[in-house]
Every structure is written in C-alpha cells, then in structure tokens.
Amino acid sequence: MKVTLSSRLITWVGVPAALVLGLVVWNASRRSFDRVAAQTEQLSRLMARSHASDLETELSRVQKIPEMIGRTLETGQFDTPAKIESFLRTVVEKNADIYGSCIAFKPNGLGPDLNAYAPYYYREADGKVVFEQLAKPDYNYFQWDWYRLPRDDGKAMWTEPYFDDGGGNTIMITFSAPFRRDDLFWGIATIDKAMSQLMREGQAVTVGKTGYIFIVSKQGRFLTFPDESKIMKASIQDVNAVLGQHMLSGEGGFLRTRDPLKDRSAWIAYAPVHNGDLSLAVVYPEDEALADARHLRNELLATGAAGLLCLLGVLIFIARTTSKPIAELARAAQLVADGDLEQRLSVTAPTEEVRNLMNAFNKMTRDLQMRMQELRYTTTVKERFEGELNAARSIQMSLVPKHFPAFPGRPELDVHALLRPAREIGGDLYDFYFLDEEWLCFLIGDVSGKGVPAALFMAVTKTLLKASSSRSGSIATMIAHVNDELCEQTDSGMFVSLLYAHLNTRTGEVEFCNAGHPIPYLLGADHSTRPLTGAKDVAVGAMSALDYHVTTVQLTPGDTLFFYTDGVTEALDRSDRFYSNARLECVLNDVGTLAVEKITRGVVRDVRTFCGEREQSDDISVMALRWIGPPSSPS
C-alpha cells in the first residue's frame, strides 16, 4: 500500500493532534460546566441565606416592640384606658412594617369594673390605622393561643400562623410578650405580622425565569407559595416529604429534588428563620440552573469539533504550511486547559480552514475569560462589602472606651466593660467619663434592633448624652431633654433602653436614672449580691414629653456596681431556654469580689458556655464599676 504524505501526516501528526485537541476541549468544557454549576448552586444558597437573614432581622426588630410596651406598662405611667389606647396607637403609627398591636389585660386587670380589656390597633388595606376592642362576647381572647401560651409559659414567643377571625381578620403571625405588676402576671402585649406582607415580598423576588421563593411555618404549612390555594391549607410534607424533613430540621442546606409546584427537577436552597420559627426556600428549576453551563459546554464542544475538522482539512491539503499553526494551536490549547486564559493566536495561516480554527479558539478563550472575570467581579464585590462591614465595626468599637485601666491616676475607683455585637456591628453602647474632679458619669444602653441602623442610632444617642452631661442640672431633666431630641430628630421607630448615672468619687453617692433598662446589681464588699431597685421609666426615644426619675444609692468602700444589657439574661441555648437573672446572680455571687475585669469576663464567658454552639442572637454588653473608697488627701 502506497504511503502518501497526507496519510503519514494524518497518521503521525493529524491523529495525535486531533486526540490532544479533543481531550483539551472536552476537559475545558467539563471543568467550565462544573464551575458554572457550582457557582449557580452557591448563588442559590446565598440568596436563601440573604432573604432568610433579612426576614429574621425584620422579625427580630419588631419583636422588641411588645417587650417595650410591656416594660412601659410596668412603670405605671399609663393607668387608664384613654392613656393606654393613645400610647398603643402611637406605637402602631410609628412602626409601619407591623400589621397591628394589642394590649390584652388579665381578667379585672384594670380594676373590678373591667372584666376584660384588650385594645387593638391595626392597619387596613389603605394604610389607615383603626381601633378594635377584642374584649367582646364573640371573641374570647383568653382562649386564643397568642394570649394563653405566653401566659402559661411565662415568656415571649411567636405563634403558629392563624386567621384572626373577629380581630385583624387576616392570616398573621403574632409575637406575644407577657408583662407583670407586683411580680404577678398582668397581661399580654403583642404585635402582628400579616402574611400578606410576606407574600408580597416573596412574589417580588426574581429567581431565574420561573423560579420562586416560598416560606413554611414550624409545622410545615405554606405561608407564601405561588399556588395560593395551598397557603395555610397544605404542608410541605404533603407535596415533598424529603424536602419537608430537611426544611423543618431547623438547619439550612441545599437539595436537588422535585419542584413542589410543578413536580419537575429543581435545585432548592433553604435556610431557617429562627425568629418566628419559619423556614425559607429558594426554588431554581434545574433546566434553568444548568442552562448557562450546558450552553457553555456545547459551545466549547462545537468549537472543538470545528477545530478538529479544520485541522484535518489543512493536514490533507498542505502539510508544510499546516504543521506550524497546528503545533501553535495545540500548545495554546494546553495552556488554556492549565488555566492560562490570556492565550490569543495570531491568525496568519495561509488557508481559510486553519484561520477559522484559530478564530474559534480565540473566541473560546475570550468567552472563558469573560466568565472568569464575572466570577472575579462577584468575589470582589463580596470582599468589598465584608471590608466595609469590618470598617464599620472598627468605627463603632472606637466610639466606646476599650483601654483599661480607664483611669490609672484615680485609685479611688476601677471600671471595666465589654461589648460583643451579635453581628458585625450592633446597637449596644456604654461610656464613662469625669464631669469634674469629683463626679464620674457612666452609662449603658441597648438600641432596639441590630446592624447598621442600630449602630447609627447608638452613635446619635451617645453624642447627645455626652453633649448634655453636666452637674448643673438634674439627671432626670437631662434624660428628658435627650429623649425629646431623639424623638424629634429620628422617625425610624427605634428607641434605646438606658441606664445613666453619676458617682461622687469622694463620698460614694450614686444617682442614676433607669429608662427601660434591665435592673443593675450591687455587689457588696461583704460578698452580698442584690438588685438595685428604683424608679423605672420609659425607654429613651419611644415617646416625647415624658418624665424621668432619679434613684440615689450610697456605696461603701469596696462595693461594685454591675450593669448589663438584655443580651445577657435573654441569651438562648439550643433548647430555647433563657440564661435568666437567676443564673446571672449565681455567677455574680462567685465573682463579685474579684477584680472588675474578671467580673465582666466571667459573666460573658458563662453566657457563651450556656449558649454552646447556638449563634448569638442579641448584642451583649457588661460593665463593672467598683468604688474603692474616697481618695486620700495629698500629704
């Protein structure tokens, strides 16, 4: 058999080159396919976590409202139906993202003439705030879960979604917080979140072309779903038992399973919403999720096939002029397979087929490079966002004192404080500074909410307090002034619980004002631990034109004051149990006579031990101030 140049070229050059090029193109297409698919999966996870986080943040913010209402009622300022209803209407009007709010008293809670009293304000479809009295014959609110369960358990909680027939007359979830008088149960304060709000938010999210987001309750019932006939009537276990088991586990994850709506293959990322015991899922149809990856793979395979045909054609027609461009092409293709997407071929081949092959190769590398640039851009945006959050955290932490000992030249006192935000930045604050040679000012507060808005509100509050601090007037007058300034300058509906105090370093006399803040503790030099009871007023920024009161305490040398935010006592373990004041008092009994830094660190360490692996749900701040005794006179 006669061996021709064409046959030898095809046998010894064409076949090996074709195999190498085919392998390179196939490997590049497979790796590109896997990369795009993984990127799509990651995007689905991020979308689920992001929307779940947004919803959790919103629910976390609004659940502070009934707690604030309860603490306000416990002060005794609102003791008549007219005052209570005016206060409740103000709360609903200032918080546009809640549906309604109710204050439900126990039987004869407001006196023997009122067996039942439960004022309720809510928004109608046009945004108008209307009043409804739930204490009526056809609505026995004492039997509803939103009243009965928190009353029996003695703690605040979210209800399972329900239709409030005779009240708000809509599907809603309710956060209920019990409040007390004389340490006895007095009633329930609530806020309602209408399911229609969640449905509108879920329908506004775009997931591919036909994807969607849905939310289920802790029992698996659909709260938002494209098929509205299943809302509150069907559960996720009915349409996809495997997905339902994963979503109701309380964990986030990713699953390739059947679409609950259209029974098609789908990628589903899900994440828990701990506030409200909800679970959110992002459904991405598999054909849409893999569309870009398949398109890129087919494009790469088609480009490789065209290249192979061109290569064989050139080898058959002319060996000498084809061998060099083919070798160059093989080399460049191998570099691309190794990750060098900057490769470009100079189209100088004398034949059209080889030039087409080179052009196709250049297009392939440009497309791959474009995909990689898009991925790098996404990564850069994420890193920049994280950098900005870190910068915001650094700025926030710089606003509070953190160098200790704080006053090395003042032996008559010692102070130490810690702040642990629940997120990158938070809304707790503390500060201490001398007003003059004799009086020390110190304070601690907790803004309603977390994140950047809470941090900004914290900065404004701290600035107003420091600008207004002096010994020229009453503490109560100054706090009332700051309260009015906050109400006038902000309309966000946020407020701050605050404990503000002055200490006479010569006599040990302490004057403090408690504006809706947890009661501090006095750790005596005689190893005793007791709460500092006194007047407790409304949180600063909640309402304007309020009166505040001052409580005076006399310290003895060696006594220590301990202050904290509710992130300590309301920390939750994996069983949803609170840390509680009882456990805090036990810890303070153990560490109360140690150095102030060991007191603060000991409490924070015990809270972390109690929570275990559970994520911190609220900002934590603690401060310990010890009066060692009057300063010695200079010799």
Side-chain angles (χ1 to χ4, degrees):
M1 181 178 179
K2 183 179 180 180
V3 179
T4 65
L5 178 60
S6 297
S7 63
R8 287 178 62 85
L9 185 60
I10 293 173
T11 301
W12 298 106
V13 180
V15 173
L19 291 176
V20 170
L21 183 59
L23 178 62
V24 169
V25 173
W26 171 255
N27 185 52
S29 66
R30 180 182 58 81
R31 292 172 62 183
S32 299
F33 181 89
D34 293 342
R35 187 180 298 113
V36 174
Q39 182 181 356
T40 304
E41 177 181 335
Q42 182 66 16
L43 180 62
S44 299
R45 290 176 180 267
L46 289 174
M47 184 181 295
R49 286 197 294 267
S50 174
H51 288 290
S53 177
D54 290 344
L55 180 56
E56 186 159 356
T57 298
E58 181 180 352
L59 295 179
S60 175
R61 192 193 71 77
V62 300
Q63 75 182 33
K64 291 282 187 179
I65 297 173
E67 297 171 352
M68 180 275 293
I69 293 174
R71 289 195 292 266
T72 302
L73 291 173
E74 290 171 356
T75 65
Q77 278 194 309
F78 302 101
D79 53 359
T80 66
K83 291 182 180 179
I84 292 171
E85 291 172 13
S86 175
F87 169 60
L88 185 60
R89 182 183 183 95
T90 301
V91 170
V92 174
E93 290 176 343
K94 282 193 172 184
N95 294 273
D97 50 352
I98 65 173
Y99 179 75
S101 181
C102 175
I103 303 175
F105 288 87
K106 71 176 184 179
N108 302 115
L110 277 184
D113 296 334
L114 279 177
N115 179 57
Y117 179 63
Y120 178 52
Y121 281 95
Y122 66 96
R123 285 183 174 81
E124 293 184 329
D126 58 0
K128 180 181 179 183
V129 176
V130 297
F131 175 77
E132 181 75 25
Q133 175 57 251
L134 299 186
K136 50 188 179 180
D138 59 345
Y139 192 97
N140 185 7
Y141 67 83
F142 299 117
Q143 301 300 319
W144 283 76
D145 286 351
W146 59 262
Y147 180 92
R148 180 174 53 83
L149 295 180
R151 178 200 61 190
D152 296 343
D153 291 352
K155 64 179 183 179
M157 63 180 63
W158 286 97
T159 67
E160 178 73 9
Y162 64 98
F163 183 81
D164 190 18
D165 187 11
N169 294 310
T170 189
I171 300 174
M172 63 176 67
I173 55 174
T174 297
F175 185 78
S176 302
F179 56 90
R180 296 167 177 80
R181 183 170 64 179
D182 299 329
D183 293 330
L184 297 176
F185 173 78
W186 194 16
I188 299 294
T190 75
I191 60 98
D192 299 328
K193 190 74 176 176
M195 289 296 102
S196 58
Q197 294 174 300
L198 297 181
M199 285 188 278
R200 287 194 298 270
E201 294 168 1
Q203 292 168 355
V205 177
T206 301
V207 183
K209 295 181 180 178
T210 60
Y212 57 93
I213 287 178
F214 70 89
I215 302 173
V216 298
S217 70
K218 61 184 178 182
Q219 295 182 358
R221 289 192 295 176
F222 287 108
L223 305 183
T224 67
F225 199 64
D227 184 359
E228 296 186 2
S229 65
K230 288 185 170 60
I231 295 176
M232 294 296 291
K233 297 179 181 178
S235 67
I236 185 62
Q237 300 95 319
D238 298 333
V239 296
N240 191 323
V242 174
L243 177 59
Q245 180 181 1
H246 282 78
M247 291 186 67
L248 300 183
S249 67
E251 304 292 336
F254 180 84
L255 197 63
R256 298 186 182 185
T257 182
R258 306 300 295 178
D259 183 347
L261 178 64
K262 298 184 178 180
D263 193 29
R264 56 185 174 178
S265 296
W267 291 12
I268 301 179
Y270 53 91
V273 181
H274 297 295
N275 291 324
D277 291 331
L278 310 177
S279 184
L280 180 144
V282 175
V283 180
Y284 210 146
E286 185 175 282
D287 55 350
E288 294 181 16
L290 297 178
D292 290 343
R294 287 171 176 161
H295 177 73
L296 179 60
R297 181 184 62 185
N298 294 338
E299 186 179 75
L300 289 172
L301 293 177
T303 302
L308 287 174
L309 291 175
C310 292
L311 174 62
L312 291 175
V314 171
L315 287 173
I316 292 172
F317 282 105
I318 181 166
R320 186 179 65 83
T321 56
T322 304
S323 58
K324 183 178 180 180
I326 291 299
E328 183 182 354
L329 178 62
R331 179 188 62 80
Q334 187 60 53
L335 291 174
V336 171
D338 292 337
D340 184 3
L341 300 181
E342 296 292 337
Q343 291 297 310
R344 296 291 185 271
L345 296 176
S346 177
V347 184
T348 59
T351 60
E352 184 68 21
E353 291 81 2
V354 176
R355 288 198 296 271
N356 289 340
L357 181 60
M358 291 181 171
N359 286 329
F361 180 85
N362 286 336
K363 181 179 184 302
M364 178 186 70
T365 56
R366 283 195 300 271
D367 291 345
L368 285 173
Q369 191 173 25
M370 181 181 66
R371 299 289 182 183
M372 294 301 295
Q373 288 174 347
E374 291 175 354
L375 181 60
R376 283 195 294 269
Y377 173 76
T378 302
T379 304
T380 301
V381 171
K382 180 182 177 182
E383 292 176 349
R384 183 173 61 192
F385 178 70
E386 292 175 350
E388 291 175 351
L389 283 180
N390 290 334
R393 176 183 173 86
S394 299
I395 294 172
Q396 182 202 13
M397 295 306 293
S398 69
L399 294 177
V400 296
K402 55 181 180 296
H403 296 293
F404 299 98
F407 308 108
R410 303 299 295 260
E412 66 268 29
L413 60 91
D414 196 8
V415 61
H416 191 267
L418 291 174
L419 192 158
R420 297 289 184 266
R423 297 189 176 176
E424 288 81 356
I425 51 180
D428 279 8
L429 68 150
Y430 68 82
D431 202 356
F432 40 82
Y433 45 88
F434 274 93
L435 299 175
D436 52 34
E437 286 297 318
E438 184 174 343
W439 287 92
L440 173 73
C441 173
F442 55 99
L443 59 100
I444 188 169
D446 180 7
V447 178
S448 60
K450 293 182 284 294
V452 174
L456 293 175
F457 196 85
M458 178 271 280
V460 172
T461 303
K462 183 176 180 296
T463 301
L464 286 173
L465 288 170
K466 196 157 189 177
S468 304
S469 296
S470 71
R471 289 297 301 168
S472 61
S474 166
I475 291 179
T477 303
M478 187 273 288
I479 295 298
H481 170 71
V482 171
N483 174 64
D484 292 339
E485 286 290 325
L486 286 175
C487 290
E488 180 179 350
Q489 295 182 18
T490 63
D491 57 0
S492 62
M494 302 181 74
F495 55 88
V496 55
S497 66
L498 176 69
L499 197 146
Y500 180 92
H502 289 174
L503 165 66
N504 189 312
T505 58
R506 295 187 181 277
T507 66
E509 178 185 1
V510 176
E511 300 175 352
F512 70 90
C513 178
N514 190 337
H517 200 75
I519 297 174
Y521 285 91
L522 173 61
L523 313 181
D526 57 354
H527 300 274
S528 63
T529 299
R530 64 182 179 88
L532 283 180
T533 58
K536 191 170 184 181
D537 299 313
V538 181
V540 176
M543 293 181 64
S544 60
L546 295 178
D547 293 331
Y548 291 87
H549 305 84
V550 176
T551 301
T552 302
V553 176
Q554 179 62 49
L555 301 183
T556 60
D559 284 352
T560 303
L561 295 174
F562 180 80
F563 309 90
Y564 60 98
T565 59
D566 59 7
V568 174
T569 54
E570 295 180 4
L572 295 172
D573 63 6
R574 298 190 64 178
S575 301
D576 288 336
R577 293 176 299 182
F578 286 111
Y579 182 83
S580 77
N581 288 88
R583 177 158 179 160
L584 175 59
E585 291 179 12
C586 290
V587 176
L588 293 177
N589 282 330
D590 293 338
V591 302
T593 58
L594 301 179
V596 291
E597 181 175 358
K598 291 185 178 182
I599 295 175
T600 57
R601 295 192 183 279
V603 171
V604 172
R605 187 184 307 112
D606 190 66
V607 172
R608 288 181 174 176
T609 301
F610 173 80
C611 295
E613 298 179 356
R614 178 156 184 166
E615 183 180 358
Q616 182 179 332
S617 61
D618 198 0
D619 303 332
I620 294 176
S621 294
V622 294
M623 181 166 64
L625 173 66
R626 175 169 294 159
W627 184 60
I628 299 173
S632 58
S633 301
S635 58

